[in-house]
Amino acid sequence: MLIQFLYIIFELLIRGIDIYRILLMIYFLLSWIPGAYDSSFGHFLGRICEPYVAIFRRFIPPLGMISFAGLVAFLSLSLVERGLYAIFGFLFQVLI
């Protein structure tokens, strides 16, 4: 029973990270379309994605007109996902 509950939690976390990663990708691609951030969809994505990306903008200054904060934010989600795989893999091994 506990293993099933942990598996459901694990799946929800991984799927949530996957969905957020897709939203981040769309948010970053909107920068290529003039005026896309001013649309209602752009505002919606901005409210969801900008607080997370702003954390990295504080530490990673832009190089000229290019900001690598989005790339680092995107890659950090991959690290979080790998960490979840490691943690839950360990928990499953201990409980089985």
Side-chain angles (χ1 to χ4, degrees), residues 2-71:
L2 179 63
I3 293 175
Q4 291 173 344
F5 178 71
L6 284 176
Y7 184 74
I8 291 170
I9 297 294
F10 172 71
E11 284 294 321
L12 286 173
L13 288 172
I14 294 300
R15 297 302 162 235
I17 289 173
D18 289 341
I19 291 169
Y20 196 71
R21 190 180 297 143
I22 291 169
L23 291 175
L24 277 175
M25 182 67 73
I26 294 169
Y27 181 68
F28 298 145
L29 291 175
L30 284 180
S31 69
W32 294 357
I33 303 169
Y37 288 133
D38 296 329
S39 68
S40 60
F41 184 64
H43 286 291
F44 169 73
L45 285 178
R47 284 193 311 255
I48 293 173
C49 299
E50 191 56 38
Y52 177 66
V53 177
I55 295 169
F56 297 95
R57 284 197 179 118
R58 279 188 250 149
F59 301 109
I60 303 169
L63 298 173
M65 297 294 289
I66 300 173
S67 174
F68 290 102
L71 178 64

Side-chain angles (χ1 to χ4, degrees), residues 64-86:
M65 297 294 289
I66 300 173
S67 174
F68 290 102
L71 178 64
V72 173
F74 191 80
L75 292 175
S76 70
L77 279 179
S78 297
L79 292 176
V80 168
E81 186 177 39
R82 286 183 181 200
L84 285 174
Y85 273 107

